[in-house]
Amino acid sequence: MSYEKVSREEDYNKWYQNLVVNADLAEHSAVRGCMVIKPYGYAIWEKMQAQLDRMFKATGHSNAYFPLFVPKSLFEAEEKNAEGFAKECAVVTHYRLKTNPDDKSKLMVDPEARLEEELIVRPTSEAIIWSTYKNWIQSYRDLPILVNQWANVVRWEMRTRLFLRTAEFLWQEGHTAHASKEEAIQETVQMLDVYSEFAETFMAIPVIKGVKTENERFAGAEDTYCIEGLMQDGKALQMGTSHFLGQNFAKAFDVKFTTQQGVQEYVWATSWGVSTRLMGALIMCHSDDDGLVLPPNLAPIQVVIVPIYKGSDQLIKIDEVANKIKNELELVGISVKYDNRDTQKPGWKFAEYELKGVPIRLSIGPRDLENGTIELARRDTREKEVLQQTDLTGKIQNLLKQIQENLYLKAETFRDNNITAVNTWDEFKEVLNTKGGFISAHWDGTSETEETIKQETKATIRCIPLNQKAEIGKCVFSGKPSNGRVLFAKAY
RNA sequence: CGGGGUGUAGCGUAGCCCGGUAUCGCGUCUGCUUUGGGAGCAGAAGGUCGUAGGUUCGAAUCCUGCCACCCCGACCA
């Protein structure tokens, strides 16, 4: 394989794009802004899905599926939500094609087949779901409803990037209905915790939990909670959101329930989601100039075994040892690939699996056969060591855990070193331009100030951290009083 | 959606200014030799030059429309 090598330092964007394509995660498709997720990339997404799905089920949720299309009249019911998404909606207007009479080899939209009501391709599903929940909910006995769906959504973005922002993307969206405000808020916060635990434990990415400002809030939500991660180039990435929707959708779709006391009340709602954008976070957080670095908990292949041999006699003997090790590792649930293809050389395979981020590589050659040893190389630190073939399983189990932890700690150290507290506007601009990362600063709480800061520096308030300390100060921009610091950053 | 750039074999590219049907490397195929960090030699295959028109005796090259990607801006729950 021959491809353009660009380091993170030279051109971070290009490095990212090359990596996505070269590591076989995804590629551009024939459709503008839409990507093909390739088998290796999809395997990582499937591991994310599987784990998140377990966590959703463990917190009492069930999966369901709602339609891709939303009738315009339903879509526009919740005004703020509709307004927020209006500019990026794909719209279906016709339901039939016909042969073009001027050119029999071509098709054309049949003008006779115009839909009476246009269908919006969902940018999110609140509208279709709440119009359905209306029928599901009459009494407090019907609550709560705890539903999640795995789906695709379409947002006609002007500018796209593989995984980070595509016109169509895959995600999950949880939509819950509750009898009380408190319960809905509790659900919102609970799912934020699920996301942060997933990000930290599985993706090995430390995240900051917070609340969005009004400017950044989900259209139609009362509060938007989020997890924010920091990428290696110092830009922040929103990795998941959990919304407390209040009674906005219940009112828009007239969803009421009868309380135990026999009173009719509007239902309280939440929604929460993470998307294939997490793939982008995973790539940008850990990978290096040689390729992907995957945390063991999400790596489709955790251990690869590469034989080094001369002639088929040696290979047969190595096969025997390698397969034995493979079986032992698989017995304890480790995913192993033994790559004994004769069509590629060992060095080629080493580079290939490094590009693909496989956490541990074992290689076995004639020397190892003689000595009963094996060479182990770890992707995260690039360290190599020679081990005895006996007792390998336990060591590898431990090492996978260590790699997982090491990636997290490395990312955490980087993140912590890149949260800078500033107190003056000059300092703010200085840090933003030279160092990047999160800037912890006082803010007067107004949208105007946030907007002006954004205009002048491109930095936005990523969140008001949940663990914000009460601290009297002055807004870094306006000098007006503030009682706590918020996090600013340039963001994806 | 505005400004700029790019599009040539599976990948990366030369050629374009100054028109004469295409360069090089990697990869692919065949054979032999190789195998502890992307093997070597020899031979071979593979291209309607993004797409649709136009100018011309002749277009990868000049002109126009369209498509896609990249960068900047606007936009982005």
Side-chain angles (χ1 to χ4, degrees):
Chain A
M1 184 191 284
S2 163
Y3 55 87
E4 197 184 17
K5 271 189 181 156
V6 177
S7 69
R8 286 163 292 180
E9 187 132 355
E10 276 173 82
D11 187 340
Y12 194 83
N13 282 336
K14 202 162 188 185
W15 165 81
Y16 172 79
Q17 278 162 184
N18 284 352
L19 185 48
V20 169
V21 172
N22 294 331
D24 247 353
L25 302 177
E27 62 188 34
H28 290 286
S29 69
V31 191
R32 193 199 75 90
C34 295
M35 65 177 171
V36 174
I37 303 176
K38 297 183 75 177
Y40 191 64
Y42 201 80
I44 299 172
W45 175 241
E46 282 180 312
K47 292 203 87 166
M48 289 188 185
Q49 276 187 303
Q51 179 55 30
L52 284 165
D53 205 63
R54 272 194 289 275
M55 294 170 90
F56 298 157
K57 304 270 170 67
T59 43
H61 302 86
S62 306
N63 287 330
Y65 188 78
F66 294 83
L68 172 67
F69 302 117
V70 187
K72 186 164 139 293
S73 58
L74 288 182
F75 185 76
E76 65 200 4
E78 209 296 324
E79 267 179 60
K80 282 186 181 162
N81 187 250
E83 235 175 75
F85 284 106
K87 278 176 285 182
E88 46 187 330
C89 285
V91 184
V92 180
T93 55
H94 292 76
Y95 59 87
R96 192 163 61 212
L97 298 172
K98 66 173 191 178
T99 303
N100 185 338
D102 298 332
D103 182 350
K104 292 273 161 58
S105 68
K106 295 281 196 308
L107 292 171
M108 60 180 283
V109 174
D110 186 344
E112 307 278 297
R114 193 164 183 57
L115 287 169
E116 235 170 83
E117 181 177 2
E118 290 89 352
L119 297 173
I120 314 300
V121 181
R122 63 181 167 214
T124 181
S125 301
E126 275 77 5
I128 192 80
I129 286 178
W130 279 87
S131 73
T132 308
Y133 280 2
K134 178 179 166 57
N135 303 323
W136 292 3
I137 298 166
Q138 278 100 42
S139 144
Y140 71 92
R141 293 192 177 95
D142 299 323
L143 295 171
I145 292 178
L146 303 173
V147 164
N148 174 65
Q149 86 164 341
W150 290 97
N152 59 339
V153 286
V154 169
R155 296 178 187 180
W156 213 258
E157 303 286 354
M158 287 296 115
R159 202 167 159 187
T160 59
R161 276 168 192 269
L162 294 171
F163 287 120
L164 296 173
R165 174 166 284 116
T166 47
E168 180 195 19
F169 56 92
L170 306 184
W171 76 346
Q172 57 70 215
E173 46 182 327
H175 295 273
T176 69
H178 305 266
S180 73
K181 180 179 182 179
E182 294 67 35
E183 190 184 301
I185 291 176
Q186 202 183 344
E187 165 79 3
T188 311
V189 173
Q190 173 187 244
M191 298 322 287
L192 188 74
D193 288 341
V194 164
Y195 288 154
S196 79
E197 193 196 331
F198 173 77
E200 301 197 336
T201 312
F202 286 82
M203 301 181 70
I205 301 179
V207 293
I208 291 166
K209 290 191 274 189
V211 184
K212 288 292 188 189
T213 61
E214 197 185 336
N215 287 6
E216 300 278 322
R217 192 181 295 155
F218 176 75
E222 295 288 310
D223 276 312
T224 288
Y225 293 74
C226 63
I227 52 171
E228 295 282 327
L230 187 64
M231 304 299 107
Q232 293 182 69
D233 62 345
K235 286 171 85 173
L237 181 72
Q238 176 178 300
M239 291 173 60
T241 49
S242 184
H243 314 290
F244 168 60
L245 301 174
Q247 294 174 311
N248 295 340
F249 285 89
K251 286 177 180 165
F253 291 93
D254 193 34
V255 187
K256 290 180 189 162
F257 71 105
T258 310
T259 66
Q260 262 176 300
Q261 288 73 37
V263 183
Q264 291 262 301
E265 283 181 13
Y266 285 113
V267 172
W268 298 86
T270 83
S271 69
W272 28 274
V274 296
S275 70
T276 38
R277 174 179 250 206
L278 289 181
M279 293 287 292
L282 189 69
I283 297 158
M284 286 199 289
C285 188
H286 301 305
S287 300
D288 63 26
D289 293 342
D290 293 316
L292 276 184
V293 177
L294 294 176
N297 286 349
L298 292 177
I301 302 166
Q302 294 171 310
V303 176
V304 64
I305 307 175
V306 177
I308 297 156
Y309 59 95
K310 287 179 189 165
S312 57
D313 290 356
Q314 274 186 5
L315 182 59
I316 289 166
K317 287 180 194 156
I318 293 172
D319 278 350
E320 206 175 297
V321 177
N323 282 319
K324 183 165 164 276
I325 292 170
K326 180 173 190 273
N327 290 337
E328 283 169 10
L329 292 174
E330 283 175 343
L331 271 179
V332 297
I334 297 171
S335 59
V336 185
K337 176 170 176 175
Y338 175 42
D339 186 354
N340 64 351
R341 284 178 299 172
D342 194 32
T343 49
Q344 314 292 354
K345 313 263 300 203
W348 189 93
K349 292 176 188 172
F350 291 177
E352 180 72 6
Y353 292 110
E354 276 157 14
L355 176 60
K356 294 205 164 181
V358 175
I360 294 178
R361 180 185 75 233
L362 300 174
S363 47
I364 311 171
R367 284 210 299 270
D368 298 302
L369 285 184
E370 271 178 44
N371 304 330
T373 55
I374 190 161
E375 186 191 78
L376 182 151
R378 55 188 277 189
R379 178 66 181 87
D380 61 334
T381 60
R382 310 301 295 266
E383 289 164 339
K384 287 187 198 176
E385 58 179 324
V386 176
L387 298 174
Q388 291 301 311
Q389 284 167 21
T390 49
D391 303 327
L392 251 190
T393 305
K395 281 179 193 158
I396 286 178
Q397 273 181 305
N398 278 334
L399 188 56
L400 288 170
K401 276 187 203 137
Q402 274 176 43
I403 292 172
Q404 183 78 29
E405 268 169 45
N406 177 49
L407 288 176
Y408 180 82
L409 290 174
K410 200 172 153 193
E412 189 183 43
T413 304
F414 177 81
R415 197 271 313 266
D416 290 348
N417 288 337
N418 285 283
I419 302 177
T420 313
V422 309
N423 295 308
T424 69
W425 182 235
D426 283 344
E427 238 185 311
F428 184 102
K429 288 185 285 190
E430 170 74 13
V431 171
L432 193 69
N433 291 327
T434 55
K435 185 179 175 187
F438 288 114
I439 295 180
S440 177
H442 281 283
W443 165 60
D444 62 21
T446 67
S447 288
E448 294 72 40
T449 297
E450 183 180 6
E451 190 54 38
T452 311
I453 291 177
K454 185 181 174 185
Q455 293 300 324
E456 291 197 16
T457 66
K458 288 187 183 175
T460 49
I461 298 177
R462 299 322 302 153
C463 68
I464 302 158
L466 292 188
N467 64 1
Q468 185 196 44
K469 287 184 198 114
E471 178 189 294
I472 302 299
K474 285 181 179 173
C475 174
V476 73
F477 185 78
S478 68
K480 290 180 194 162
S482 146
N483 40 28
R485 290 174 183 271
V486 301
L487 291 177
F488 290 86
K490 289 185 190 170
Y492 279 98

